[in-house]
Amino acid sequence: TSLLLGYEDGSIYKVDVNGTTSYKNTLQEAIDMCTTNSSTTPDKITLIQDIVAVENEKGVISENQNIIFDLNGNTITGKTMGTMFENGGMLEIKDSSGDGQIVGLFNKIIDNKGTLVLSGGNIKLDPPTETIDAHYIIDNSGELTIAGANIELIKKADRNGTNGAINSVAGTAVNFNSGNIIFNNAKQLLAVPNVVKISGTSELKTEVTIKDEFKFSGSGTCIECTQTQITVEGDSFENTNTTALIPIIISDSDMIIKEGAVIDGDNINPIQYYGTCKVDINSNAKLSGLVEYINTRNPYAVAAKDVELTINEAELGKIEFYGSKATINNATVSDKATFSNKLTTAGIANTTSDITITGGTFGSLVINYNAIAKVNGVNVTTGGMSVESGADVTLLNSTIINQNG
């Protein structure tokens, strides 16, 4: 059967359900044509032409619906002050033809309470004037996977607000598989917001996975994770903007950087850790970034207070560690590695600081502020080694050039 209805400008939705094709003139009518049994093969809604949605139009996907929404190279532009898609079921947004977009003008485009996969298209929040502040593109309280889509936030307003591309709350799961997050901060504010904010609780940590060439281009912090469990794998994360602040900030979270993972920061601080964290950086992982004052790529991992750091056979350029425990095995650190019992920016001393470094090569090595360190079998090259401010170091079987202290 076939029913053809359309917007005044001729734009339409094509709906394919169980071998039957129909056409609807509003998003909700198209969604209502889809089945409510999520165990079946997904139903499909295809956008036929560019459309400008009617005022406050919103599509609501129910708990038992399973829908693929194909932009088909076309663009939906919203007029609504609020959500364009509210997903309580299973929704995949794709673009089979290229250049497809969903453009929101004001607040969040997608409110996800179910399972959302963004496998294609450009999803963009673009306020019409400088007097309108843009807020989150995606508000996630379900499971979100970015697998090929671009998420773009264009900020024009002078005020900061709570702007960002994605906000995800406790008990959710977020997977960054591939694609891009683009933050266009037209005003270059002094305090740039977090583009992606992911939060959990001590009882219910949000699971975050980053893998497969996920990219960020923007001037703020790309991902801030609090009370989360983070896994990084594959050729995982690239920050393509050298003016960005800190691509990844992690607080009170556990992080595993798996074997062979790559974090390309293009920035002085690819990762910063705060609060109580456990961090494992595994064999053949590489963290890289741009340290501007020497104008060369150098990975830079910063750890602060109550952080437990384990590095096994990974490659880094620069480490500043102010945590409670670090175990470094056969690492290659091309620049300087600093291990301290004091967080210099806040002047806070940890109650203990237990450092074990076994094997590996360091450009230079600094142990200071009463840290207790065992260093065995390392090779410290041109920058030498410094033991400062009451640090206690046991040094065995190592080659040190220009040892100080």
Side-chain angles (χ1 to χ4, degrees):
T1 60
S2 181
L3 173 64
L4 181 60
L5 296 172
Y7 278 74
E8 291 180 357
D9 62 0
S11 301
I12 54 175
Y13 296 97
K14 177 184 175 185
V15 186
D16 291 297
V17 178
N18 296 328
T20 300
T21 299
S22 60
Y23 297 85
K24 293 295 180 180
N25 69 333
T26 71
L27 179 57
Q28 190 59 55
E29 286 178 331
I31 291 170
D32 289 344
M33 289 294 296
C34 298
T35 59
T36 56
N37 183 0
S38 60
S39 64
T40 62
T41 301
D43 300 322
K44 185 177 180 181
I45 300 173
T46 303
L47 183 61
I48 303 301
Q49 298 182 25
D50 294 347
I51 67 166
V52 176
V54 298
E55 190 73 29
N56 294 322
E57 180 181 8
K58 176 173 68 174
V60 179
I61 295 95
S62 68
E63 180 179 359
N64 294 317
Q65 288 184 300
N66 185 358
I67 297 173
I68 295 174
F69 187 90
D70 186 359
L71 292 167
N72 190 35
N74 299 299
T75 298
I76 299 178
T77 302
K79 286 185 177 181
T80 178
M81 288 290 290
T83 304
M84 294 175 66
F85 288 83
E86 182 178 306
N87 178 45
M90 301 175 67
L91 173 64
E92 177 184 353
I93 296 176
K94 61 182 290 186
D95 181 25
S96 61
S97 300
D99 299 323
Q101 293 192 91
I102 300 173
V103 181
L105 303 180
F106 297 100
N107 293 325
K108 58 191 175 185
I109 295 176
I110 302 174
D111 184 1
N112 180 50
K113 300 178 177 69
T115 301
L116 175 64
V117 178
L118 304 175
S119 60
N122 190 52
I123 302 174
K124 178 168 65 176
L125 196 57
D126 186 5
T129 70
E130 293 186 0
T131 61
I132 299 296
D133 211 356
H135 292 269
Y136 290 110
I137 295 175
I138 301 168
D139 203 350
N140 180 55
S141 56
E143 180 173 347
L144 168 64
T145 299
I146 300 175
N150 294 329
I151 311 298
E152 182 176 2
L153 175 63
I154 298 177
K155 180 174 172 55
K156 298 176 181 177
D158 290 320
R159 60 190 185 277
N160 284 319
T162 55
N163 302 274
I166 299 171
N167 181 44
S168 192
V169 298
T172 63
V174 183
N175 305 301
F176 301 98
N177 290 353
S178 60
N180 298 274
I181 286 184
I182 304 163
F183 181 70
N184 179 6
N185 181 12
K187 292 296 180 180
Q188 291 297 310
L189 303 176
L190 293 177
V192 183
N194 303 312
V195 178
V196 179
K197 187 172 183 179
I198 303 172
S199 303
T201 67
S202 57
E203 294 81 18
L204 191 60
K205 291 189 174 182
T206 298
E207 294 184 2
V208 181
T209 303
I210 305 173
K211 63 180 181 180
D212 298 339
E213 299 185 355
F214 180 77
K215 296 182 179 181
F216 164 65
S217 173
S219 53
T221 296
C222 178
I223 301 173
E224 179 178 355
C225 297
T226 303
Q227 299 283 11
T228 59
Q229 172 68 57
I230 307 155
T231 302
V232 182
E233 57 187 85
D235 190 1
S236 306
F237 181 91
E238 180 180 357
N239 171 38
T240 60
N241 187 347
T242 57
T243 65
L245 297 179
I246 304 163
I248 305 176
I249 291 180
I250 296 166
S251 303
D252 297 319
S253 299
D254 297 338
M255 184 176 194
I256 299 173
I257 301 177
K258 287 192 171 182
E259 291 82 356
V262 176
I263 298 177
D264 186 357
D266 252 351
N267 182 269
I268 191 170
N269 292 26
I271 306 176
Q272 282 194 353
Y273 303 104
Y274 295 98
T276 302
C277 300
K278 291 184 179 180
V279 183
D280 293 325
I281 304 176
N282 290 289
S283 59
N284 299 314
K286 296 181 180 181
L287 279 68
S288 63
L290 179 66
V291 179
E292 295 176 348
Y293 62 88
I294 59 174
N295 197 29
T296 184
R297 284 178 178 268
N298 282 283
Y300 190 41
V302 179
K305 189 124 176 109
D306 298 326
V307 174
E308 294 186 11
L309 173 66
T310 302
I311 301 176
N312 290 310
E313 301 181 351
E315 295 182 19
L316 302 95
K318 191 172 183 179
I319 301 173
E320 288 190 8
F321 181 79
Y322 307 105
S324 58
K325 183 176 182 180
T327 304
I328 317 297
N329 297 314
N330 297 311
T332 299
V333 182
S334 60
D335 200 319
K336 181 165 129 180
T338 300
F339 297 91
S340 177
N341 194 39
K342 184 178 181 182
L343 178 57
T344 55
T345 55
I348 300 172
N350 295 306
T351 55
T352 60
S353 185
D354 182 6
I355 314 297
T356 302
I357 305 173
T358 305
T361 301
F362 299 81
S364 64
L365 184 60
V366 177
I367 313 291
N368 62 18
Y369 284 110
N370 300 309
I372 300 172
K374 297 177 182 178
V375 181
N376 189 355
V378 304
N379 179 28
V380 182
T381 58
T382 54
M385 177 176 176
S386 296
V387 179
E388 306 168 354
S389 302
D392 183 355
V393 178
T394 301
L395 181 64
L396 299 170
N397 304 318
S398 299
T399 301
I400 310 293
I401 299 175
N402 300 325
Q403 181 173 346
N404 300 307

